[in-house]
Every structure is written in C-alpha cells, then in structure tokens.
Amino acid sequence: MSDRFYPAAYTKTIPQGEVCWQAPSNIALIKYWGKKEIQIPRNPSLSFTLTACATRTSVGFSLRTDHSSDYSIDFYFEGEKKEDFLPKINTFLKRAQPYLPFLSTYHFEIRSENTFPHSSGIASSASSMAALAICFVDIERQLLGLPEEALDHTKASFIARLGSGSACRSVQGKIVEWGVHEETNGSSDLYGIDWEEEAHEIFKTYHDTILLIDQGEKQVSSTVGHGLMEDHTYAERRFSQAHEHLSQLQEALRSGDLESFTTLVELEALTLHAMMLTSNPSFILMKPNTLKVIRRLQHFRETSGLHPCFTLDAGANVHILYPDSEREEVYQFIKNELVGYCENGGYICDMVGNGAKKINASASKTLVK
Ligand code: 2P0
C-alpha cells in the first residue's frame, strides 16, 4: 500500500537550495486516540484545519561531504540552535528515509518557529511535522525535475504522519479525514484526505476561539496518551464508536445541521477525556475553569439560540467553534464572560483555513537570522 510513495529515480543533482513552508495546526472533531505502529490510527478522525496557529519552517539543504552519521542536521527553533529536538527529527528521518532517499545525502539546516506561544498548551507537533514533511517533499519534487504544481500533497501527508499522526491532517484542505472508514471513499490509515468538497458552506468559514485555560507543559505526552488505549477497558467500544460518530458527523457536515454537529463534537471531546479519566494510570486534564467555561457556554447556547459549541484537545484549553454568521454575538460573549477564566486572559482567535502554503524565507524575521 505504501509502495506508491517510493519515488522514481531522481533526475536532477542540486548541490544546494532552500525551501520554506508554513503549515497550520488542526483541531480534531472526531478524535484520534490510540494507535498501532507507526502512527497507524486505531480509529478514523476528522479535523478542521486552522489558520492562525501555524509553524513556519525553512529547510536549507547542501550535499554532504561528511558521512560519519546517518543524518546531518542543524536545527534552530525560534532562532536558537536546539540540540534536544534532534532525536525526534532523527527518528522521523529514519522512518521517512525509504520514501525520501535523498535524506541521507544532504546536510539540512532546519529553522522553525510557531505563530503561537510555545507554552500555550497548543500542540505544535501537527503543524511542525506537517511543515517539515512538506519541505522535504518539495525538495524531492525538485530532484525529480517536476514543476511546483506537481507537488504531491498526499505524499506530504503520508510523510507528515510518520512524524506525528495528527500532522497528516495539516497539509491540505479545510476539513480533513484520516483513517479507514467504510463509508468514506478513498479513506486511508496512511494519509489524510480532503473532505472539504462534501461539506456545507457554513463550515468552511467556521471560527475557533481557543481559550488558554492552562498554559503549562502538557501533563500527558501523546505517546503516553495513545499508549493508555492499549489495554483500556473501553478501547474496542470507543474505536467502533468513533466510526459511528464519524458517519453521523459527516451527515451533519453535509446538511449544515448545527444541532447534530454540536452534540457530536461535544460528545467526542468529552469521550476523549473520559478515556483518560478511566485509563490506568488515569489523567484529569481538565481544570476547574475548563468546566466553568463549558457550563457557561452551554447556558449561553440554550438562552441565546445561537450555536457555539466546544471541543477539547488532550489538555485544559477549550476550543469554541461557531459559524461566521454568529461571530459578533459569540465573540462578545467570549470576551465578556469567558476570557476571565483564561490564564492571564490568554486566547487565540483562529478559523478554518486551507492548509500548508509555500512562503518566502525572508517573510519571517527569525527564520533568516
Ligand atoms: C487528535 N490528539 O485527533 C487527537 C485528539 C490529541 C487529542 O492526535 O503520537 O501528537 O504524534 O501520532 O498526533 C495528539 O497526538 O500523536 C492527537 P502522535 P499526536 O488530534
């Protein structure tokens, strides 16, 4: 199945060059929680691609002269050289090597920065791995002598998945589905597929205001988190529930049924946390203010007749999702009644976006430091 991602023989020799891409984060509506090696999900997931929360990565490459190690990488995060990121990048390159054979023949200078604060509790693995993967696939495109428009986004998603599962949903499209799902033509465990065309227009300009309830370090890493599903009492039921929820959510996304959308999205968020509450060891990742925000939001929905709903990642922050037609009233409500629950009043206004885009290295100050 992965055979299609082995490249043809490279036709160009490029001594050196540079590519630069920006990839967004994404927020899962149907959650990926539980996996097999290597980043093969135990259930399908579906996400909104975001815009404001993104990673910008430039990859400078030059033919290697020193072959004393498998890979030759200098990594800079927000302008500073970071050795501690290298093991993760090395693991990623090793996994990607069969599909991107040039990786061992070049020295890479990788410069990366996030548009959101490092300590915001927003996972950066999706955007950072997607940006890095698409940079590498873009370099390969050049080695194959192909034009810009021939860039293989599916391969970029496939490679991104090898770095971090959720990263494969951050490459292309406003709404992305990943993982085999019987009712979705073309769905795959290996890469994300663009589900945007099937969705009702209302979802293509949806807002996501991220309330930063707790900006500390993540209490449970994704590796540990996914591992908790290994022998979890409710694992099998949860995995089949995700298939059912996905079918129902697709219906709501097609028809624009905001009531069903709300019910399913909130149920998925709470189920994700229920899995962590009932695993061994267990984790309580919601904070008192997470619950207060949820209660306030649900009350506002009941009394206003508007349609904001919440979802959660594996942390305390709350994502408030709402349609563009309701943005003024919902945003006022968020500012007046919810921001007070955020740590240092922190929140990020984001919305559904298109995926990764190529940028100019000079567009970023720190990238060219
Ligand atoms: C998701 N999360 O679907 C779920 C919901 C967090 C909560 O995917 O081990 O960083 O790199 O494949 O993608 C977080 O896990 O895990 C995640 P790896 P990843 O977005």
Side-chain angles (χ1 to χ4, degrees), residues 28 31-33 35 39 125 164-166 169 222 226 272 313-314:
K31 308 292 184 182
Y32 152 57
W33 202 242
K35 65 176 172 180
Q39 259 84 263
S125 69
S164 178
S166 54
R169 299 190 312 239
S222 63
H226 289 290
L272 170 72
D313 240 327

